[in-house]
Amino acid sequence: MTPGTTGSKGTIRVLQLYPRDMNIYGDWGNALVLQQRLKWHGYTPELLEYNVGDAFPDQVDIIVGGGGQDSGQLVIQDDLQSRAETLRNMTEDGTPMLLICGMYQLFGRFFKTRTGEVIPGIGALDVETYGTDERLIGNVKVTTAEFGEVLGYENHSGQTSLGPGVAPLGTVAKGTGNNSSDGQEGARYRNIVASYLHGSLLPKNPAIADYLIRTAVERKYGSFTPGTPDDHYAVLAREHAARRPR
Ligand code: GLN
């Protein structure tokens, strides 16, 4: 037990990247789900934020990054490059991360927007993204080997292709996903789960939340003993999301 956290099995620090500029369609909800599920599992969550110009916190156990307009991605690009090495090292070290849409794109090699700007990524993921005139919008179902059926909502004009260095998160059963040609959604690399799905994603996909938590706890404390989360609302949210039309 960590001193000062009576009754807690330990403290897990969750860092949200750029919530001021990269946080649309409720992506901040992902951090809130991690906070609540950490408590249910018996751990003490600490939620941290990193915005442009901030000092980068140390001892971060989980990173979450949300989506953003192209304009938000342009705002953070220089600051993100100044943190590129730190974030690449954390990726290679196995820090669990959930990267949604705009931050997924910027963890890749680059995002060339619809208007021709090339926003460099940090190259932690072997993916590249091209903006198009087609907006991919709607509810999505993804079949995954690791997390079962993943449910969410997409809204992006960028289309992402995966290089050989990453695996897809899954195969699209409804919706579009990474791009309009290959039927794949998201990316997996080390302990990164990257996805186009908002909604937010984790309230409807607790298996992914628990994967991030288990990985963080095992890295920090050696082993993970789950608690007893209350999945009542997650089950209802999944049923509801699965019934939505495209
Ligand atoms: N601006 C990016 C795009 O349109 C990302 C959008 C998002 O994060 N929802 O592709």
Side-chain angles (χ1 to χ4, degrees):
M1 195 180 297
T2 305
T5 52
T6 313
S8 168
K9 299 182 205 163
T11 298
I12 293 294
R13 283 158 66 88
V14 178
L15 176 67
Q16 170 92 343
L17 288 178
Y18 304 108
R20 207 159 59 201
D21 300 295
M22 300 293 293
N23 178 22
I24 53 176
Y25 311 121
D27 287 340
W28 177 240
N30 292 323
L32 299 180
V33 168
L34 291 171
Q35 180 180 43
Q36 182 57 52
R37 294 188 81 83
L38 278 162
K39 287 185 198 162
W40 278 332
H41 287 301
Y43 296 85
T44 303
E46 269 181 37
L47 288 195
L48 311 166
E49 295 188 3
Y50 175 79
N51 285 297
V52 170
D54 285 350
F56 199 87
D58 54 11
Q59 297 177 350
V60 169
D61 302 307
I62 301 178
I63 284 186
V64 288
Q69 314 295 345
D70 293 8
S71 54
Q73 293 172 292
L74 286 163
V75 167
I76 66 158
Q77 63 172 329
D78 291 344
D79 190 273
L80 179 65
Q81 286 306 315
S82 76
R83 301 300 178 193
E85 199 184 334
T86 302
L87 294 168
R88 276 195 306 266
N89 288 342
M90 291 177 80
T91 299
E92 290 303 315
D93 261 13
T95 302
M97 305 189 195
L98 176 70
L99 304 170
I100 302 297
C101 202
M103 284 310 300
Y104 166 27
Q105 295 171 343
L106 295 187
F107 264 64
R109 301 194 181 285
F110 61 84
F111 171 32
K112 184 170 186 192
T113 70
R114 205 172 41 84
T115 49
E117 285 120 328
V118 178
I119 306 177
I122 63 168
L125 295 174
D126 181 17
V127 308
E128 45 189 60
T129 304
Y130 292 86
T132 66
D133 289 331
E134 190 186 358
R135 256 204 114 66
L136 308 170
I137 305 180
N139 296 303
V140 184
K141 270 190 209 177
V142 185
T143 308
T144 78
E146 275 181 286
F147 307 115
E149 188 172 69
V150 172
L151 302 166
Y153 171 83
E154 65 183 329
N155 186 350
H156 52 111
S157 67
Q159 300 210 13
T160 298
S161 5
L162 308 189
V166 297
L169 172 63
T171 309
V172 174
K174 176 166 85 180
T176 308
N178 285 337
N179 56 65
S180 47
S181 50
D182 66 18
Q184 295 179 339
E185 207 299 297
R188 286 285 281 122
Y189 177 67
R190 303 283 189 206
N191 291 321
I192 290 182
V193 176
S195 172
Y196 268 106
L197 304 193
H198 305 278
S200 358
L201 181 72
L202 294 185
K204 295 190 279 294
N205 298 283
I208 298 178
D210 283 353
Y211 161 78
L212 298 167
I213 290 171
R214 187 181 69 243
T215 306
V217 169
E218 284 174 353
R219 288 182 81 238
K220 191 164 185 175
Y221 296 110
S223 66
F224 173 63
T225 325
T228 44
D230 176 356
D231 280 334
H232 176 69
Y233 287 110
V235 169
L236 287 179
R238 285 182 66 77
E239 284 169 6
H240 190 75
R243 278 199 306 269
R244 281 188 191 135
R246 170 74 177 148

